[in-house]
């Protein structure tokens, strides 16, 4: 969206087989792609100016690339968001709706991002959680692997749990990094990078890390980083004048043991949960660092485009909510950092961009023609010459609520199945970036203008 307002075991056998095949004819000078997707990672990192969170390895990518301060997902739930940015298509009324979304079912005629690179001669690798469902577009990957136990508990207090009977929503494990899944995903990616480096073929590798998704499980040393350093948000209340439908009961968190089903969690549990989230961020940051170190050790870092994102934002008790699943900024705004030989290193872009912009940007970086299906815009100009001031807009949706974010405002409009207006909220980001007071009433001119812009742009097929 940047330019709308500017212009407006088995593994070894698999690797051996893949790399013994004759590469497809290359029609461009190949450059590798490393796409890092971090589950539930909101932009609360050192490089985004957070005073407490320690994320030196993600900060390293930002220091060598372009950090996007105003990147927004198109839908704040993992399955639908991934289906959207991996096809470059917007979520619609009947497309990309829930965490269990299959892109191949909702958009059967669309080419996926990995299939696009595979068709253009790249070896494609998926490690960890990339598509939400492992068998979604499975044929697009030459290698497709993820851990089996996603709850990933390793202490006695959480033993004997499963998806139906979950343990606590956190675990402070006195264990080494290697015990938890994200270290295994990093180790698997390092093995694959060694094999890819030895092969005469460009690669598209997607690495999907699982933390800081619930449960917040991380080794003790990462929890210790935040002992006594966690504070609760000062806006743990429903915004003044906000529609009741704009908030939820944090059902995702309430699936876990020791969390009350209806009433708010205690302050002590809230502090523990936020500390667990921060610890999980630092843990996954360490695993990302291992992959980056191996990329450099193999001499691939100069010839690899890197993009790192969270699949959407996250609430940590802002507006009474945990997790995502809403139209507020904390759930919609997320992390996006690009490092590329073509990017201006150490830069910050203030442009407002969307996740549907990822696919066309990677196509441009690879020097490939863009598929006609794409609904976002390439960020190439932003990578070369980042915007110093906010520009553009982003459109996101959750259920029947549609949000447009501009440099000055966030406007959400709820509609029925016939697209008729039902409710709305408006926040002035110039004076209320935390979105604590809905000012839709009394600002009809602004509401009408944003509603028109929203309706003009989100109904794209």
């Amino acid at each position: 969206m940047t330019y709308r307002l500017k212009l407006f075991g088995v593994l070894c056998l698999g690797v051996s087989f893949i790399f013994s095949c004759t590469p497809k004819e290359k029609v461009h000078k190949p450059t590798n792609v490393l796409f890092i997707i971090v589950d539930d990672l909101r932009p609360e990192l050192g490089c985004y100016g957070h005073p407490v969170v320690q994320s030196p390895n993600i900060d390293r990518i930002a220091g060598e690339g372009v950090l996007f301060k105003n990147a927004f997902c198109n839908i704040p739930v993992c399955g639908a968001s991934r289906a959207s940015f991996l096809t470059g298509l917007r979520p619609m009324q009947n497309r990309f709706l829930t965490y269990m979304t299959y892109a191949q079912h909702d958009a059967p005629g669309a080419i996926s991002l990995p299939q696009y690179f595979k068709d253009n001669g790249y070896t494609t690798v998926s490690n960890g959680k990339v598509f939400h469902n492992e068998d979604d577009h499975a044929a697009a990957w030459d290698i497709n692997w993820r851990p089996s136990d996603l709850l990933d508990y390793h202490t006695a207090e959480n033993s004997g749990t499963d998806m139906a009977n979950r343990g606590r929503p956190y675990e402070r494990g006195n264990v080494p990094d290697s015990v938890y899944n994200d270290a295994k995903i990093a180790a698997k990616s390092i093995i694959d990078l060694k094999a890819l480096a030895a092969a005469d073929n460009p690669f598209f590798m997607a690495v999907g890390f699982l933390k800081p998704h619930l449960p917040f499980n991380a080794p003790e040393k990462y929890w210790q980083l935040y002992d006594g350093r966690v504070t609760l948000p000062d806006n743990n209340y429903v915004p003044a004048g906000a529609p009741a439908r704009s908030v939820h009961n944090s059902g995702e968190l309430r699936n876990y043991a020791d969390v009350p089903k209806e009433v708010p969690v205690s302050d002590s549990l809230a502090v523990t949960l936020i500390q667990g989230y921060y610890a999980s961020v630092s843990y996954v940051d360490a695993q990302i660092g291992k992959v980056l170190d191996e990329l450099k050790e193999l001499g691939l870092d100069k010839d690899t485009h890197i993009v790192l994102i969270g699949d959407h934002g996250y609430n940590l008790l802002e507006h009474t909510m945990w997790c995502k699943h809403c139209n507020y900024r904390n759930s919609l705004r997320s992390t996006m950092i690009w490092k590329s030989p073509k990017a201006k290193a150490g830069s910050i872009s203030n442009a407002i961009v969307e996740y549907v912009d990822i696919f066309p940007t990677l196509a441009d970086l690879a020097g490939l023609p863009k598929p006609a299906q794409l609904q976002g815009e390439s960020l190439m100009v932003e990578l070369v010459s980042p915007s110093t001031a906010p520009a553009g807009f982003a459109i996101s949706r959750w259920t029947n609520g549609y949000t447009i974010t501009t440099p000055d405002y966030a406007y959400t409009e709820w509609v029925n199945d016939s697209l008729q207006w039902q409710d709305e909220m408006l926040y002035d980001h110039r004076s209320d970036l935390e979105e604590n007071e809905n000012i839709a009433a009394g600002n009809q001119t602004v509401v009408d203008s944003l509603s028109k812009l929203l309706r003009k742009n989100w109904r794209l097929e």
Side-chain angles (χ1 to χ4, degrees):
M1 281 300 174
T2 309
Y3 314 121
R4 286 190 179 85
L5 294 186
K6 285 186 172 180
L7 304 176
F8 179 163
V10 172
L11 166 66
C12 296
L13 292 174
V15 169
S16 174
F17 172 76
I18 291 164
F19 299 146
S20 67
C21 297
T22 302
K24 297 178 183 179
E25 181 180 356
K26 302 183 185 71
V27 295
H28 63 287
K29 182 180 179 180
T31 307
N32 307 311
V33 174
L34 176 60
F35 189 4
I36 302 173
I37 305 164
V38 185
D39 211 335
D40 288 357
L41 182 68
R42 73 192 221 162
E44 199 155 86
L45 305 159
C47 54
Y48 278 89
H50 196 276
V52 174
V53 174
Q54 298 184 39
S55 52
N57 295 292
I58 297 176
D59 297 350
R60 187 198 336 171
I61 304 175
E64 298 172 350
V66 179
L67 179 150
F68 284 82
K69 289 187 68 175
N70 295 303
F72 291 83
C73 71
N74 295 103
I75 185 166
V77 66
C78 53
S81 180
R82 291 161 189 261
S84 176
F85 66 69
L86 289 169
T87 59
L89 297 172
R90 294 184 182 283
M92 302 296 292
Q93 281 187 302
N94 298 304
R95 180 175 71 203
F96 309 156
L97 303 177
T98 72
Y99 78 98
M100 282 299 293
T101 293
Y102 274 81
Q104 65 191 26
H105 297 160
D106 284 16
I111 186 171
S112 68
L113 182 58
Q115 187 67 57
Y116 165 81
F117 273 89
K118 186 176 183 178
D119 289 349
N120 281 282
Y122 284 69
T123 300
T124 55
V125 179
S126 172
N127 285 327
K129 181 181 173 182
V130 180
F131 280 102
H132 179 81
N133 299 291
E134 189 174 5
D135 57 343
D136 193 1
H137 282 279
W141 305 105
D142 293 306
I143 298 174
N144 186 13
W145 175 89
R146 71 175 64 183
S148 57
D149 180 12
L150 298 184
L151 284 177
D152 204 21
Y153 290 121
H154 291 279
T155 63
E157 61 192 3
N158 286 316
S159 63
T161 60
D162 55 30
M163 292 301 289
N165 299 285
R166 301 182 191 185
R168 292 180 178 178
Y170 62 90
E171 182 170 275
R172 189 166 179 162
N174 191 16
V175 296
D177 285 18
S178 58
V179 166
Y180 289 115
N181 279 333
D182 281 332
K184 298 172 185 177
I185 292 169
K188 169 66 164 55
S189 299
I190 288 170
I191 291 171
D192 289 348
L193 281 173
K194 293 179 185 293
L196 291 163
D200 184 23
N201 212 48
F203 63 82
F204 177 96
M205 175 184 279
V207 184
F209 289 103
L210 299 170
K211 298 304 168 194
H213 193 287
L214 283 166
F216 304 141
N217 298 349
E220 168 68 19
K221 65 181 180 181
Y222 299 102
W223 283 81
Q224 290 178 358
L225 296 174
Y226 304 105
D227 282 341
R229 305 189 68 193
V230 174
T231 58
L232 299 179
D234 59 9
N235 62 341
N236 177 20
Y237 54 81
V238 177
R245 70 178 72 203
S246 71
V247 297
H248 58 69
N249 191 39
S250 308
E252 182 179 1
L253 173 65
R254 297 183 192 278
N255 288 325
Y256 290 84
D258 299 337
V259 179
K261 298 304 180 185
E262 294 294 338
V263 299
V265 303
S266 66
D267 285 354
S268 61
L269 177 55
V271 167
T272 299
L273 290 171
I274 294 174
Q275 183 174 359
Y277 181 91
Y278 291 170
S280 298
V281 169
S282 292
Y283 169 66
V284 77
D285 177 82
Q287 311 321 307
I288 290 169
K290 296 173 185 177
V291 176
L292 296 177
D293 289 345
E294 186 63 27
L295 193 75
K296 185 173 183 178
E297 179 68 22
L298 294 168
L300 296 171
D301 57 316
K302 302 299 183 184
D303 298 314
T304 301
H305 304 297
I306 301 174
V307 55
L308 183 148
I309 66 169
D311 53 354
H312 41 65
Y314 205 76
N315 283 31
L316 291 173
L317 200 52
E318 294 89 0
H319 302 141
T320 75
M321 292 180 289
W322 298 93
C323 310
K324 48 270 188 184
H325 310 128
C326 68
N327 292 80
Y328 286 100
R329 177 180 174 87
N330 285 112
S331 280
L332 301 181
R333 179 172 171 257
S334 192
T335 303
M336 181 188 285
I337 304 170
W338 293 77
K339 179 187 174 186
S340 166
K342 299 182 180 181
K344 185 178 180 181
S347 300
I348 294 175
S349 170
N350 286 287
I352 297 175
V353 302
E354 300 180 87
Y355 277 16
V356 287
D357 299 335
I358 294 171
F359 196 149
T361 306
L362 286 172
D364 273 355
L365 286 172
L368 298 170
K370 293 187 282 291
Q373 73 192 36
L374 301 183
Q375 295 179 333
E377 296 187 8
S378 172
L379 304 177
M380 274 290 290
V381 172
E382 280 300 311
L383 295 179
V384 175
S385 181
S387 297
T388 56
F393 62 83
I395 296 176
S396 313
R397 70 163 295 184
W398 177 245
T399 60
N400 271 8
Y402 294 81
T403 299
I404 183 166
T405 303
T406 71
D408 294 337
Y409 297 100
Y411 170 73
T412 300
E413 183 171 308
W414 281 270
V415 300
N416 61 20
D417 291 342
S418 299
L419 309 183
Q420 296 172 320
W421 178 95
Q422 290 187 311
D423 219 335
E424 64 195 358
M425 60 185 183
L426 174 69
Y427 297 99
D428 188 338
H429 282 173
R430 295 168 298 182
S431 58
D432 183 19
L433 194 59
E434 293 186 345
E435 301 182 340
N436 293 329
E437 182 181 2
N438 176 19
I439 60 169
N443 288 278
Q444 198 60 47
T445 300
V446 175
V447 165
D448 289 346
S449 175
L450 291 174
S451 177
K452 182 178 180 180
L453 186 62
L454 173 63
R455 285 175 171 266
K456 177 182 177 181
N457 285 280
W458 71 259
R459 285 184 288 176
L460 300 175
E461 291 287 5

